[in-house]
Amino acid sequence: MSEEILINFTPQETRVAVLQQGVVQELHMERTASRGLVGNVYLGRICRILPGMQSAFVEIGLERTAFLHVADIWQPRETATDRPIEKVLAEGQSIVVQVVKDPIGTKGARLSTQISIAGRMLVYLPQEKHIGISQRIEAEAEREVLRERIVRLVREGEQGGFIVRTMAENASDEEFATDIAYLKKIWADIRDKAATAAAPSVLYQELSLSQRVLRDFVKPDTTRIVIDSRENFQKLGAFAAEYTPAVRPLLDHYTGQRPLFDMHGVEEEIQRALARRVDLKSGGYLIIDQTEAMTTIDVNTGGFVGVRNFDDTIFKTNLEAAVTIARQLRLRNLGGIIIVDFIDMENAEHKKAVLEEFNKALASDHTRLTVNGFTQLGLVEMTRKRTRESLAHVLCEPCPTCGGRGEVKTARTVAYEILRELLREARQFNAREYRILAGPAVVDLFLDEESQALAMLSDFIGKSVSLQSEPSYSPEQYDIVLM
């Protein structure tokens, strides 16, 4: 099944859509304002040692100094001792460190001197020697086979150890070899920079979403990766040429007038993925409710009536629902405990067929999941690993007017929608000026944090843009007036 990946860039956020046969299967988003530091490697300088706390403050170039505890200082296993921190480090010393916890409130970032670099299939530990296997791969025979394969692929005498990630259970030797080469290249770059850089400085930044697409998302059936920004097309081309050369020929720069996500119906799909109700082609529908503890999905027949009898109607609706639910789990990135309430079926063969169809549809999901059969109550229980926030949690916040029973888009999400709508309007109409009418929170955002974004767009379209706050507007409501 052919697959395309679309990457939409704005200065504020990167959005990625994965399409199979032209249908959106996955959505990923990363906002510039909320990118974390975990995984970044720095050349830091010890600015203060606290023997009483067995800790040190390290200057790594951030607003606040970072924190390093003696327990997070790596030492070779054969020479490791419980030496106090003042015997291990000295003030003014340069040191290579990695962020393991982002700064929170008044606390600085937490550091470790044990470096780990994540690849697609493996995690590289340049200071270690052993080969570890993810604990989620439980079968001892399978663990041993994976360990032997990695040992065979790592050249004798080479420095460093590896941890095999869960998703590598079915990886080929070629995929492992590609990952090993990529990780060794990253570590070589870090060492080269550390040898010449002055502390404090950044040696390695955890990959951006668009770079992770090239590393993690590409599969044998990926036909192209479409990028709607010339600058980022060139940057990703350079990244691919150095680290993922096999992916370089797939990159394609989109130059059309119509926005890339509009062209492929992704914007509409995002709106539908935030809705509670999902309509099925047959006339049935799903109701998806996401709570703190679990997600429930209820299947209903709606107006669908089978050609033979009611049992036929139920069976056909459940079959269609099974495929749609599998796609919605990926699209919305729903994780944790998921309960599916298919319409009750008396026929045991029908139940078996629906469960088989459901498992078949879930097979293309690369997130780890488990599915149990029908319970006595006729429910299907499953779990899906939480790898990141769900789409609704990224784009929405609890509604202030409904006590958290529903959700509305954040002011930032609405602001970015307005920026995209302004660009659309500017390409269709030749107005003298554009006026944005929106709720106070959205207007305040444009006057403060997103003022530069609005100014950049105004400059890009060559027209002035004014703001008008409307206290009576709901959080998601806005109008763009052509003057």
Side-chain angles (χ1 to χ4, degrees):
M1 189 180 291
S2 67
E3 183 174 280
E4 280 186 320
I5 300 172
L6 313 181
I7 308 181
N8 165 234
F9 282 99
T10 67
Q12 302 80 35
E13 66 180 356
T14 301
R15 303 186 302 166
V16 174
V18 179
L19 280 66
Q20 287 179 355
Q21 306 296 101
V23 179
V24 183
Q25 301 292 329
E26 294 178 36
L27 291 164
H28 302 262
M29 298 186 187
E30 180 177 81
R31 289 182 171 167
T32 309
S34 57
R35 271 196 74 185
L37 303 173
V38 173
N40 288 4
V41 180
Y42 296 85
L43 181 65
R45 184 177 62 248
I46 308 293
C47 57
R48 191 177 171 200
I49 294 175
L50 305 173
M53 295 175 63
Q54 282 299 290
S55 303
F57 286 120
V58 185
E59 177 62 51
I60 60 173
L62 302 179
E63 188 179 339
R64 288 187 297 275
T65 53
F67 180 82
L68 175 64
H69 189 267
V70 70
D72 295 318
I73 298 175
W74 180 85
Q75 295 180 62
R77 295 188 182 198
E78 57 273 14
T79 61
T81 59
D82 294 331
R83 288 197 298 162
I85 196 166
E86 61 270 25
K87 299 287 187 184
V88 179
L89 302 176
E91 290 187 6
Q93 174 186 344
S94 293
I95 185 170
V96 176
V97 290
Q98 186 169 38
V99 177
V100 293
K101 192 173 184 180
D102 279 320
I104 301 174
T106 57
K107 294 181 179 179
R110 181 153 183 168
L111 305 174
S112 172
T113 64
Q114 176 163 22
I115 311 301
S116 66
I117 308 165
R120 184 177 186 180
M121 303 295 172
L122 304 166
V123 176
Y124 182 42
L125 306 171
Q127 298 142 307
E128 295 286 354
K129 295 178 181 177
H130 71 283
I131 308 295
I133 310 294
S134 167
Q135 292 181 344
R136 290 184 176 271
I137 301 174
E138 295 173 355
E140 192 55 44
E142 186 180 355
R143 292 169 66 87
E144 198 53 44
V145 168
L146 284 168
R147 188 177 285 108
E148 288 173 3
R149 288 174 63 194
I150 300 302
V151 169
R152 194 168 64 246
L153 288 167
V154 177
R155 280 178 290 187
E156 193 172 340
E158 281 195 340
Q159 179 192 8
F162 292 91
I163 296 173
V164 180
R165 302 180 70 177
T166 308
M167 65 179 69
E169 283 181 283
N170 302 312
S172 66
D173 281 359
E174 185 182 359
E175 287 174 310
F176 279 138
T178 300
D179 228 23
I180 290 169
Y182 163 78
L183 292 167
K184 291 284 182 73
K185 179 75 172 69
I186 293 284
W187 177 238
D189 289 350
I190 290 173
R191 283 192 308 172
D192 290 347
K193 287 180 183 175
T196 56
S201 59
V202 182
L203 301 178
Y204 168 75
Q205 279 189 298
E206 185 58 37
L207 300 188
S208 65
L209 173 59
S210 55
Q211 291 169 325
R212 293 199 305 275
V213 166
L214 305 193
R215 184 189 72 185
D216 299 343
F217 289 30
V218 177
K219 296 188 288 192
D221 51 5
T222 304
T223 56
R224 63 176 187 151
I225 302 167
V226 188
I227 301 158
D228 68 356
S229 155
R230 174 172 294 280
E231 179 188 356
N232 287 287
F233 171 72
Q234 291 170 344
K235 284 181 179 177
L236 288 177
F239 176 85
E242 188 165 5
Y243 296 109
T244 57
V247 176
R248 180 68 184 85
L250 302 179
L251 302 186
D252 185 7
H253 179 217
Y254 175 74
T255 57
Q257 284 293 306
R258 196 174 171 199
L260 178 63
F261 272 28
D262 284 8
M263 186 84 173
H264 293 268
V266 181
E267 297 290 5
E268 292 175 16
E269 204 61 65
I270 292 172
Q271 300 306 321
R272 282 199 288 267
L274 295 174
R276 184 168 175 255
R277 174 171 168 149
V278 178
D279 290 319
L280 303 174
K281 290 180 181 177
S282 63
Y285 61 93
L286 312 175
I287 296 293
I288 302 176
D289 284 315
Q290 192 180 343
T291 68
E292 191 77 21
M294 67 178 70
T295 298
T296 61
I297 303 175
D298 187 32
V299 184
N300 299 274
T301 55
F304 178 42
V305 179
V307 291
R308 289 194 291 275
N309 54 43
F310 194 55
D311 280 351
D312 180 63
T313 299
I314 291 171
F315 180 49
K316 291 284 175 57
T317 304
N318 281 340
L319 283 175
E320 187 185 355
V323 176
T324 304
I325 290 167
R327 177 170 167 261
Q328 288 295 323
L329 293 179
R330 294 175 67 187
L331 199 57
R332 299 171 185 239
N333 194 37
L334 298 173
I337 300 169
I338 298 160
I339 306 294
V340 183
D341 185 8
F342 286 105
I343 307 164
D344 287 343
M345 294 173 287
E346 300 294 331
N347 189 317
E349 288 300 315
H350 283 182
K351 280 188 179 181
K352 183 182 176 184
V354 168
L355 199 59
E356 285 176 355
E357 186 71 15
F358 192 35
N359 280 310
K360 181 182 170 186
L362 289 169
S364 58
D365 194 332
H366 50 251
T367 301
R368 191 179 180 89
L369 45 81
T370 58
V371 181
N372 296 325
F374 282 94
T375 66
Q376 288 184 325
L377 296 175
L379 307 172
V380 173
E381 299 172 351
M382 66 174 291
T383 60
R384 186 173 185 269
K385 186 182 177 184
R386 293 186 195 272
T387 53
R388 53 195 165 88
E389 289 278 26
S390 70
L391 187 67
H393 283 159
V394 171
L395 296 181
C396 304
E397 64 186 1
C399 175
T401 61
C402 69
R405 292 189 303 276
E407 289 173 320
V408 294
K409 297 171 191 171
T410 64
R412 196 179 300 277
T413 298
V414 177
Y416 293 170
E417 280 187 9
I418 291 172
L419 292 176
R420 290 193 290 270
E421 184 60 32
L422 262 176
L423 192 56
R424 268 186 222 110
E425 299 276 348
R427 284 171 172 166
Q428 291 183 54
F429 308 102
N430 186 24
R432 181 172 50 84
E433 177 190 344
Y434 296 90
R435 179 167 297 169
I436 299 169
L437 280 62
V442 176
V443 172
D444 288 348
L445 199 64
F446 274 136
L447 291 171
D448 187 11
E449 294 176 44
E450 298 298 338
S451 58
Q452 187 179 1
L454 190 61
M456 285 168 62
L457 183 61
S458 174
D459 184 55
F460 181 78
I461 63 177
K463 300 291 169 66
S464 62
V465 180
S466 59
L467 298 165
Q468 184 172 322
S469 180
E470 294 289 342
S472 62
Y473 275 29
S474 70
E476 296 184 8
Q477 188 179 354
Y478 65 88
D479 290 297
I480 297 175
V481 181
L482 280 62
M483 308 293 285

